[in-house]
């Protein structure tokens, strides 16, 4: 699954994802860690690729004018 397009899709349709409320913190080295405590973030922990891939591919396919390569001469 392409992660950037999946993140954009999640902003508009969160149904293909499994979500979990977590308490996230960033340590001194820049690592994001799940910690105990009150949740401060909603995190996608799984994705249904058979829903995301067609949605993303469909958006890409319908953008702009169709352009096929010219046949060989």
């Amino acid at each position: 699954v392409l992660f950037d397009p999946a993140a954009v899709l999640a902003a508009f349709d969160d149904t293909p994802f499994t979500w979990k409320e977590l308490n996230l913190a960033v340590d001194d080295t820049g690592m994001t860690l799940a910690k105990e405590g009150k949740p401060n973030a909603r995190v996608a922990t799984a994705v249904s690729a058979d829903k995301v891939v067609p949605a993303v591919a469909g958006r890409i396919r319908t953008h702009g004018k169709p352009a096929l390569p010219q046949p060989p001469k």
Side-chain angles (χ1 to χ4, degrees):
V1 172
L2 300 170
F3 295 107
D4 289 345
V8 171
L9 178 64
F12 294 96
D13 179 10
D14 65 356
T15 58
F17 303 89
T18 302
W19 298 92
K20 188 171 184 179
E21 301 284 331
L22 296 173
N23 181 313
L24 297 182
V26 179
D27 71 11
D28 294 337
T29 65
M31 289 289 294
T32 302
L33 306 170
K35 299 210 161 215
E36 293 295 321
K38 181 180 174 187
N40 60 6
R42 184 172 176 236
V43 179
T45 58
V47 61
S48 174
D50 44 327
K51 292 181 181 173
V52 170
V53 171
V56 171
R59 292 291 296 169
I60 292 169
R61 212 175 22 252
T62 60
H63 181 73
K65 292 189 327 186
L68 299 174
Q70 295 295 322
K73 294 182 180 185

